[in-house]
Amino acid sequence: HKETLNKRLFEKNLYMDQPTHYRIYVERTLALIKPDAIHKAEEIEDVILKSGFIILQKRRLQLSPEQCSDFYSDQYGKLFFPSLTAFMSSGPIIAITLARDNAIGHWKSLIGPVNSIKARETHPECLRAKYGTSDLKNALHGSDSFHAAEREIKFMFPNTVIEPFPSREATEEYLSRYVNPTLLQGLIELCKQKPRNPCIWLADWLIKNNPNMPQICDGAIVEGVE
């Protein structure tokens, strides 16, 4: 399956030869295909993959009303809460863990506003405008924040291991210390060299000057003559 292949490639690229303190974190979010859009699941998954997401985990399940109440516990007490839990437990759903840079924001932007009717007016290209029919039956769910994503992924995939999400400050510090200096040096050299194919030249330069990889010099060993 293409999602399994994507997951394996993602894990290989993310973890292979990565020192622990230099590891680059890729944001994750939870996506739900709701009962009203389950018949369009394959089509929606194609849109997900074409939008640059990697599918790390996927499962089809049907929640009980009690499980829905637990999942949407932050909405408890609101007028629509009984209708929400009844709808979400009315049929099967598909839970998907998605990964990419800024996954939470990109997925929220892709699915669009909560109310599908209003979404057709303001964001006609979004997924809720295309697949949803109302405020309640809006086809898709996306995590609202880092902490919500962590909780929701653990809820749908209890055996998954989730590393802590880095703060914005930690991410900016990582970039300023380990990425920006090397990239700036590479861009300076690019301007000096003015190669015919600048993208390929810069890619090769970054590979050769990766600060996290040791520089190995090939040289002949000359034995002394006795």
Side-chain angles (χ1 to χ4, degrees), residues 76-96:
Y76 184 79
K78 296 183 179 180
L79 291 177
F80 61 82
F81 186 76
S83 299
L84 175 63
T85 55
F87 164 61
M88 288 300 294
S89 61
S90 65
I93 64 172
I94 293 179
I96 307 172

Side-chain angles (χ1 to χ4, degrees), residues 185-202 205:
Q185 185 181 351
L187 291 173
I188 292 173
E189 290 297 323
L190 176 67
C191 293
K192 291 179 180 179
Q193 297 293 331
K194 296 181 175 59
R196 181 175 299 180
N197 196 326
C199 292
I200 293 178
W201 186 95
L202 181 59
W205 188 93

Side-chain angles (χ1 to χ4, degrees), residues 5-186:
L5 178 59
N6 280 329
K7 178 181 177 182
R8 289 176 179 172
L9 289 173
F10 167 81
E11 292 175 339
K12 179 180 179 181
N13 291 332
L14 180 61
Y15 296 114
M16 188 174 64
D17 297 330
Q18 289 279 353
T20 301
H21 57 291
Y22 290 152
R23 179 173 296 167
I24 298 175
Y25 290 85
V26 178
E27 192 171 278
R28 284 178 285 184
T29 190
L30 181 78
L32 294 182
I33 301 177
K34 298 182 179 182
D36 58 321
I38 197 76
H39 62 292
K40 294 290 187 178
E42 185 173 346
E43 187 175 316
I44 292 171
E45 288 178 34
D46 284 340
V47 174
I48 288 172
L49 294 174
K50 289 177 182 177
S51 299
F53 290 95
I54 294 171
I55 295 176
L56 295 182
Q57 298 167 294
K58 184 177 74 169
R59 64 182 297 211
R60 181 186 176 107
L61 69 160
Q62 182 160 353
L63 300 175
S64 67
E66 293 76 19
Q67 289 173 318
C68 290
S69 296
D70 290 340
F71 183 78
Y72 288 105
S73 58
D74 59 326
Q75 305 293 336
Y76 184 79
K78 296 183 179 180
L79 291 177
F80 61 82
F81 186 76
S83 299
L84 175 63
T85 55
F87 164 61
M88 288 300 294
S89 61
S90 65
I93 64 172
I94 293 179
I96 307 172
T97 302
L98 301 178
R100 62 160 293 168
D101 62 295
N102 193 23
I104 295 170
H106 277 296
W107 178 239
K108 288 175 67 177
S109 176
L110 187 61
I111 62 178
V114 172
N115 191 314
S116 295
I117 297 175
K118 293 181 179 178
R120 292 192 188 96
E121 300 174 359
T122 60
H123 299 75
E125 300 301 319
C126 75
L127 296 182
R128 281 173 171 162
K130 184 174 182 179
Y131 298 106
T133 56
S134 68
D135 189 3
L136 177 64
K137 298 181 179 181
N138 60 2
L140 297 153
H141 166 85
S143 303
D144 282 331
S145 65
F146 293 125
H147 297 299
E150 185 175 4
R151 183 187 73 83
E152 292 173 359
I153 291 172
K154 287 291 289 183
F155 187 97
M156 293 295 174
F157 302 93
N159 295 326
T160 193
V161 176
I162 301 179
E163 296 182 2
F165 290 112
S167 65
R168 180 179 295 274
E169 292 76 14
T171 302
E172 291 176 352
E173 181 183 0
Y174 175 87
L175 291 174
S176 65
R177 291 182 63 185
Y178 301 115
V179 177
N180 293 346
T182 302
L183 182 59
L184 179 60
Q185 185 181 351

